[in-house]
Coordinates of all heavy atoms in Angstrom, one line a residue:
N1 N -8.2 11.3 -6.8 CA -9.6 11.4 -6.6 C -10.5 11.2 -7.8 O -11.6 10.7 -7.7 CB -9.9 12.8 -5.9 CG -9.5 12.8 -4.5 OD1 -10.0 12.0 -3.7 ND2 -8.7 13.8 -4.1
A2 N -9.9 11.5 -9.0 CA -10.7 11.3 -10.2 C -10.9 9.8 -10.4 O -11.9 9.5 -11.1 CB -9.9 11.9 -11.4
K3 N -10.0 9.0 -10.0 CA -10.2 7.6 -10.2 C -10.6 6.9 -8.9 O -10.7 5.6 -8.9 CB -8.8 7.0 -10.6 CG -8.4 7.4 -12.0 CD -7.1 6.7 -12.4 CE -6.7 7.1 -13.9 NZ -5.5 6.4 -14.3
N4 N -10.9 7.6 -7.8 CA -11.3 7.0 -6.6 C -10.3 5.9 -6.1 O -10.7 4.9 -5.6 CB -12.7 6.4 -6.7 CG -13.8 7.5 -6.7 OD1 -13.5 8.7 -6.6 ND2 -15.0 7.1 -6.9
T5 N -9.0 6.2 -6.2 CA -8.0 5.2 -5.9 C -6.9 5.8 -5.1 O -6.5 7.0 -5.4 CB -7.5 4.6 -7.2 OG1 -8.6 4.1 -8.0 CG2 -6.5 3.6 -7.0
V6 N -6.4 5.1 -4.2 CA -5.2 5.4 -3.4 C -4.2 4.4 -3.7 O -4.5 3.2 -3.9 CB -5.5 5.6 -1.9 CG1 -6.0 4.3 -1.3 CG2 -4.4 6.2 -1.2
Y7 N -2.9 4.8 -3.7 CA -1.8 3.9 -4.1 C -0.8 3.9 -3.0 O -0.7 4.8 -2.2 CB -1.2 4.4 -5.4 CG -2.1 4.6 -6.5 CD1 -2.6 5.8 -6.9 CD2 -2.4 3.5 -7.3 CE1 -3.5 5.9 -7.9 CE2 -3.3 3.6 -8.4 CZ -3.8 4.8 -8.7 OH -4.6 5.0 -9.8
L8 N -0.1 2.8 -2.9 CA 1.1 2.7 -2.1 C 2.2 2.1 -2.9 O 2.2 0.9 -3.3 CB 0.8 1.8 -0.9 CG 2.0 1.7 0.2 CD1 2.1 3.1 0.9 CD2 1.7 0.6 1.2
Q9 N 3.2 3.0 -3.3 CA 4.3 2.5 -4.0 C 5.4 2.1 -3.0 O 5.8 2.8 -2.1 CB 4.9 3.7 -4.8 CG 6.2 3.3 -5.6 CD 6.0 2.3 -6.7 OE1 5.0 2.4 -7.4 NE2 6.8 1.3 -6.8
M10 N 5.8 0.8 -3.1 CA 6.7 0.2 -2.2 C 8.0 -0.1 -2.9 O 8.0 -1.0 -3.8 CB 6.1 -1.0 -1.5 CG 4.8 -0.7 -0.9 SD 4.1 -2.2 0.0 CE 3.9 -3.3 -1.3
N11 N 9.1 0.5 -2.5 CA 10.4 0.3 -3.1 C 11.4 -0.2 -2.0 O 11.1 0.0 -0.8 CB 11.0 1.6 -3.7 CG 10.1 2.1 -4.8 OD1 9.5 1.4 -5.6 ND2 10.1 3.5 -5.0
G12 N 12.4 -0.9 -2.5 CA 13.4 -1.4 -1.5 C 12.8 -2.3 -0.5 O 13.1 -2.2 0.7
L13 N 11.9 -3.2 -1.0 CA 11.2 -4.1 -0.1 C 12.2 -5.0 0.7 O 13.2 -5.5 0.2 CB 10.2 -4.9 -0.8 CG 8.9 -4.1 -1.2 CD1 8.1 -4.8 -2.3 CD2 8.0 -3.9 0.1
K14 N 11.8 -5.3 1.9 CA 12.6 -6.1 2.8 C 11.7 -7.3 3.3 O 10.5 -7.2 3.3 CB 13.0 -5.3 4.1 CG 13.8 -4.1 3.8 CD 14.1 -3.3 5.0 CE 14.8 -2.0 4.8 NZ 15.1 -1.3 6.0
P15 N 12.3 -8.4 3.7 CA 11.5 -9.5 4.2 C 10.5 -9.1 5.3 O 9.4 -9.7 5.4 CB 12.5 -10.5 4.6 CG 13.7 -10.3 3.8 CD 13.7 -8.8 3.6
E16 N 10.9 -8.2 6.1 CA 10.1 -7.8 7.2 C 8.9 -7.0 6.8 O 8.0 -6.6 7.6 CB 10.9 -7.0 8.3 CG 11.7 -5.9 7.7 CD 13.2 -6.2 7.5 OE1 13.4 -7.3 7.0 OE2 14.0 -5.4 7.8
D17 N 8.8 -6.6 5.5 CA 7.6 -6.0 5.0 C 6.5 -7.0 4.6 O 5.4 -6.6 4.3 CB 7.9 -5.2 3.7 CG 8.9 -4.0 4.0 OD1 8.6 -3.3 5.0 OD2 9.8 -3.8 3.2
T18 N 6.8 -8.3 4.7 CA 5.9 -9.3 4.4 C 4.7 -9.2 5.4 O 4.8 -9.2 6.6 CB 6.5 -10.7 4.5 OG1 7.5 -10.9 3.5 CG2 5.5 -11.8 4.4
A19 N 3.5 -9.1 4.8 CA 2.3 -8.9 5.6 C 1.1 -8.9 4.6 O 1.2 -8.8 3.4 CB 2.3 -7.7 6.4
V20 N -0.1 -8.9 5.2 CA -1.3 -8.6 4.5 C -1.5 -7.1 4.7 O -1.5 -6.5 5.8 CB -2.6 -9.3 5.1 CG1 -3.8 -8.9 4.3 CG2 -2.4 -10.8 4.9
Y21 N -1.7 -6.4 3.5 CA -1.8 -4.9 3.5 C -3.3 -4.6 3.3 O -4.0 -5.1 2.4 CB -1.0 -4.3 2.4 CG 0.5 -4.3 2.8 CD1 1.2 -5.4 2.9 CD2 1.1 -3.1 3.1 CE1 2.6 -5.4 3.2 CE2 2.5 -3.0 3.5 CZ 3.2 -4.2 3.5 OH 4.5 -4.2 3.9
Y22 N -3.8 -3.7 4.2 CA -5.2 -3.2 4.1 C -5.2 -1.7 3.9 O -4.4 -1.0 4.4 CB -5.8 -3.5 5.5 CG -5.9 -4.9 5.9 CD1 -4.9 -5.5 6.7 CD2 -7.0 -5.7 5.5 CE1 -4.9 -6.8 7.1 CE2 -7.0 -7.1 5.9 CZ -6.0 -7.6 6.7 OH -6.1 -8.9 7.1
C23 N -6.2 -1.3 3.1 CA -6.4 0.1 3.0 C -7.7 0.4 3.8 O -8.5 -0.4 4.0 CB -6.6 0.6 1.6 SG -8.1 0.1 0.7
A24 N -7.8 1.7 4.2 CA -8.9 2.1 5.1 C -9.3 3.5 4.8 O -8.5 4.3 4.3 CB -8.6 2.0 6.6
A25 N -10.6 3.9 5.0 CA -11.1 5.2 4.8 C -11.8 5.8 6.0 O -12.5 5.0 6.7 CB -12.1 5.1 3.6
D26 N -11.6 7.1 6.2 CA -12.3 7.7 7.3 C -12.7 9.1 6.8 O -11.9 9.9 6.2 CB -11.3 7.9 8.5 CG -11.9 8.6 9.6 OD1 -13.0 8.3 10.0 OD2 -11.2 9.5 10.2

């Protein structure tokens, strides 16, 4: 919250993870 940033650490990636990734806020 201090940096107003959210992260997604992705390990062990697979070909089926291929996509456009979107973040969203509510």
Side-chain angles (χ1 to χ4, degrees):
N1 282 303
K3 294 185 177 181
N4 287 357
T5 302
V6 63
Y7 304 96
L8 185 68
Q9 177 66 44
M10 305 186 295
N11 299 327
L13 283 161
K14 305 175 181 180
E16 51 264 43
D17 294 319
T18 294
V20 177
Y21 283 71
Y22 300 91
C23 71
D26 179 48

